[in-house]
Amino acid sequence: MKILFGLAVLAAALACGVGAGPPGGDPGVRFKAGKGPGSLALADLNGDGRLDLIVANDEGGDVTILLGDGKGSFAAAPGSPFPAGNSPNDIAIADFDGDGRPDLAFANHDTKYVTVLIGDGHGGFRPAQGSPVAVQSRPHPHGIAATDFDGDGHVDFAVESWGNDQVEVVFGTGGGRFRTPGRLFGVGRMPYQKLRAGDVNGDGAPDLVTTNFEGGNVTVLLGDGKGGFREAPGSPFSAGASPFGLAIADIDKDGHLDLVVVNFSGQGGDRSRDAVNVLLGDGRGGFRPVRGSPFAAGVNPTRVAVGDVNGDGWPDVVTGNMSGGDVTVLLGDGKGSLRPGVGRPAGKEPYGVAVGDVDGDGRAEIFVANHGSGDVSMIRFR
């Protein structure tokens, strides 16, 4: 099956997706990004206590850094955008060189490389020594996750190798350098887009989760804290047809990490598999569907983020709907499940989505990378 998501820009389906939402919803504020923004993330890059925006521009091969003022406005960092390798498809934020400042890493689509950029603590970035880092991904990486997998005090990263149903863990040696090749671990069928790290069994060691596009499930690899992994009992766990994007968060606030998966056929305009599946964690590495799952999403959801967008104290789920021109917001119901989704308009071809409170009002704003219009929407959910 040919999967259309990638470098090609798909024509937006202008009809709204599921639950387009009532008139009067905040249409959003736009901030200029680069060419073909895809993934985005929020972090305090300059140490001022305010969240900043990181936008990977897959057609421009660079990253736009927008520094937040703590009131909901953003300005480009000096020198932005910074080169980020060929078609940066996913972002990892971590302190790769151990200087206490956030650094960035990007999975470079259509190559066998990961680009690592070292932050200066003011919003500026330079290539790490030895970057780009060669990986074994077949044919190329899409997703990346970064943390200290082997407990040596140096940050490592993992990428998927979807052509041979594996993930590769590449271990850091300090100073933003890495030992290659990394170690390969088997997962499910075609871990095509995202993998994420988190301690899903509460043992203090980071674990890995992949969405397996052809398998219709997620694989959970439990880390031993020394760089080794074993598949969790019962893994892989069913996650609906064509699982694509992934977020790890405690949806039901029971102290155990859960999985939020968006499902997308890979074919623009095909809505047959569009959905959100939520799997609740048992704290030991096992997962089961939440009540009401799967949930309806918009047209072609490709990315997902979790945060409290309405200020009620419960995590909510937001999807960026590539062919719908909007986002779907599924509000937490306070009982561990989600309410039916409502939509809010975004820009042209929304890809990446992130959620964070950038103005300190106790409600997280929604950020959307609009691939077709070259900008980022900031939406306040009302």
Side-chain angles (χ1 to χ4, degrees):
M1 176 180 62
K2 183 180 180 181
I3 298 173
L4 299 181
F5 183 84
L7 291 177
V9 178
L10 301 179
L14 297 180
C16 287
V18 172
D26 188 345
V29 178
R30 301 281 189 91
F31 300 100
K32 184 65 177 175
K35 187 176 181 181
S39 294
L40 78 168
L42 289 162
D44 180 8
L45 299 177
N46 58 355
D48 64 356
R50 302 162 180 169
L51 289 175
D52 309 308
L53 266 172
I54 305 132
V55 189
N57 305 305
D58 63 28
E59 291 189 357
D62 52 25
V63 56
T64 297
I65 304 297
L66 300 174
L67 301 179
D69 66 359
K71 301 177 182 178
S73 188
F74 293 83
S80 175
F82 302 95
N86 185 76
S87 188
N89 188 72
D90 197 17
I91 306 167
I93 306 167
D95 181 9
F96 290 107
D97 64 348
D99 67 353
R101 301 165 179 168
D103 309 311
L104 305 174
F106 304 87
N108 295 126
H109 187 266
D110 281 338
T111 76
K112 291 182 180 294
Y113 291 99
V114 163
T115 294
V116 180
L117 301 182
I118 301 301
D120 63 6
H122 303 288
F125 291 87
R126 59 175 174 80
Q129 183 178 348
S131 179
V133 181
V135 294
Q136 302 176 74
S137 181
R138 296 183 183 178
H140 46 247
H142 289 91
I144 184 169
T147 189
D148 182 3
F149 289 113
D150 59 358
D152 66 351
H154 305 311
V155 174
D156 316 306
F157 69 78
V159 293
E160 99 289 357
S161 181
W162 56 273
N164 55 358
D165 301 336
Q166 293 178 317
V167 297
E168 180 184 10
V169 180
V170 179
F171 297 99
T173 60
R177 297 178 293 273
F178 298 87
R179 182 174 65 253
T180 58
R183 291 184 64 186
L184 294 169
F185 300 91
V187 292
R189 290 180 55 200
M190 196 179 184
Y192 178 64
Q193 272 290 325
K194 292 295 174 282
L195 79 167
R196 292 292 181 254
D199 182 8
V200 301
N201 63 347
D203 66 353
D207 311 309
L208 279 170
V209 183
T210 67
T211 51
N212 304 318
F213 188 82
E214 288 187 352
N217 49 38
V218 295
T219 292
V220 177
L221 294 178
L222 300 179
D224 62 8
K226 301 175 183 178
F229 293 86
R230 60 180 175 84
E231 196 160 354
S235 175
F237 301 96
S238 180
S242 303
F244 207 79
L246 171 68
I248 302 178
D250 185 3
I251 292 293
D252 58 356
K253 298 181 71 172
D254 67 349
H256 306 315
L257 290 177
D258 310 309
L259 309 180
V260 183
V261 178
V262 287
N263 304 79
F264 163 50
S265 72
Q267 305 290 327
D270 176 4
R271 298 200 56 190
S272 63
R273 301 179 184 181
D274 296 349
V276 174
N277 278 271
V278 178
L279 306 179
L280 297 182
D282 62 8
R284 300 182 298 275
F287 292 88
R288 61 175 176 81
V290 73
R291 173 179 51 84
S293 187
F295 302 92
V299 182
N300 300 155
T302 62
R303 312 289 174 88
V304 63
V306 178
D308 182 8
V309 303
N310 62 350
D312 67 352
W314 283 91
D316 310 308
V317 172
V318 182
T319 69
N321 305 318
M322 182 181 68
S323 298
D326 60 1
V327 297
T328 297
V329 182
L330 296 153
L331 296 175
D333 68 357
K335 301 176 183 178
S337 188
L338 301 172
R339 303 170 193 167
V342 296
R344 290 294 183 266
K348 185 178 181 182
E349 295 166 359
Y351 275 24
V353 62
V355 175
D357 182 5
V358 299
D359 58 8
D361 67 352
R363 292 179 291 189
E365 284 70 44
I366 301 167
F367 293 86
V368 190
N370 300 308
H371 193 272
S373 47
D375 54 21
V376 174
S377 294
M378 182 180 75
I379 303 169
R380 290 184 168 96
F381 187 81
R382 298 291 186 267

